[in-house]
Amino acid sequence: MDYLEWRHVFKLDPAKEISDEELERICESGTDVIIVGGTDNVTLDGVLDLLVRVRRFEVPIALEISNIDSVTPGYDYYFIPTVLNSDDPKWIKNLHHEAIKEYGDIMVWDELVAEGYCILNPTCKVAEVTKAKTDISIDDVVAYACMAENFFRLPVFYVEYSGTYGDIEVVSAVKNELKNTRLFYGGGITSAKQAAEMAKYADTVVVGNIIYEDLKAALATVKAVKNTI
Ligand SMILES: CC(C)=CCC/C(C)=C/CC/C(C)=C/CC/C(C)=C/CC/C(C)=C/CC/C(C)=C/CC/C(C)=C/COP(=O)(O)OP(=O)(O)O
Ligand SMILES: O=P(O)(O)OC[C@@H](O)CO
Ligand SMILES: [Mg+2]
């Protein structure tokens, strides 16, 4: 699977506006993939609009499913989050159970990539929605990573600080733990310097909100990540 080689990801939120010119710069930036995803106001219209517009370019496109009503065929990959540090089974496995019961027969399993999320910014929307337990120690996070890799055998463990720059100690401890599962880091990257710092530990660095706030700064993260070994 190509995602094993991705170093840099731009995450586009289907609930937010982006002009054709800005989108072209993102798609032609040298990023490895565009992931389409967000927490709320994710609609089928928004998901289809980005699919059609990004398809004009060569970059692969993945949908990170946040609700079942906005899923459409046509994406290269489907990323399925399960929030390991949520206290509500809905976000760990119940929505997934419902989806598989309803659509299991038509699913193309090879296109699906399960992601074990550990959400660590207490004030972000996704933490609030999924009732994530964010006040946890580094040892707790490392244990979730170990669980993702060795117990559930998930291909991706996602350290999520959505909206705020994360703790490098946490990311580095998780990296030391993981052998096969890929480490995605996302949250609060606003500069090339921060992107390069996280790229020292994370296999894949995800850049989201800054696209909508400072496109030039967002574009600079691509080279920063790619140049970090
Ligand atoms: C070809 C075809 C149609 C195939 C698909 C078949 C199919 C139906 C497959 C579904 C398989 C399946 C098991 C689906 C699971 C369904 C589901 C709804 C699961 C729940 C996923 C989940 C836990 C969502 C919670 C939210 C979450 C973790 C979202 C990820 C994105 C994220 C963290 C965004 C960050 O938030 P953002 O919006 O950026 O925040 P700000 O606005 O504050 O920036
Ligand atoms: O939007 P930011 O804070 O860059 O976070 C990226 C991504 O991890 C969100 O799911
Ligand atoms: Mg966002």
Side-chain angles (χ1 to χ4, degrees), residues 11 64 117 158 160-164 186-189 206-210:
K11 192 182 278 192
E64 187 170 53
Y117 261 78
Y158 196 134
E160 172 67 284
Y161 278 92
S162 181
T164 192
I189 291 181
V206 183
V207 176
N209 290 352
I210 194 69

Side-chain angles (χ1 to χ4, degrees), residues 60-187:
I61 180 165
L63 177 64
E64 187 170 53
I65 298 179
S66 52
N67 67 70
I68 204 68
D69 297 334
S70 61
V71 181
T72 175
Y75 277 78
D76 298 314
Y77 304 91
Y78 295 86
F79 278 71
I80 320 284
T82 169
V83 182
L84 298 174
N85 64 327
S86 169
D87 269 345
D88 184 346
K90 175 177 174 183
W91 305 102
I92 307 169
K93 50 97 186 165
N94 286 2
L95 287 170
H96 315 68
H97 176 258
E98 265 174 49
I100 291 167
K101 197 171 162 198
E102 180 93 22
Y103 301 105
D105 294 346
I106 60 154
M107 279 184 199
V108 184
W109 288 98
D110 287 348
E111 290 175 351
L112 304 193
V113 183
E115 312 168 278
Y117 261 78
C118 187
I119 303 173
L120 293 169
N121 172 10
T123 61
C124 73
K125 217 181 300 165
V126 69
E128 195 188 311
V129 169
T130 63
K131 302 186 182 68
K133 213 170 154 209
T134 56
D135 186 17
I136 56 177
S137 67
I138 294 190
D139 288 350
D140 288 320
V141 180
V142 169
Y144 280 124
C146 181
M147 183 191 272
E149 177 165 277
N150 299 303
F151 186 71
F152 290 118
R153 299 199 184 273
L154 296 172
V156 172
F157 183 71
Y158 196 134
V159 174
E160 172 67 284
Y161 278 92
S162 181
T164 192
Y165 191 63
D167 182 343
I168 201 80
E169 246 192 276
V170 170
V171 182
S172 129
V174 169
K175 181 59 194 166
N176 280 338
E177 175 66 26
L178 295 176
K179 287 167 197 72
N180 300 308
T181 293
R182 228 175 139 78
L183 172 57
F184 279 37
Y185 169 83

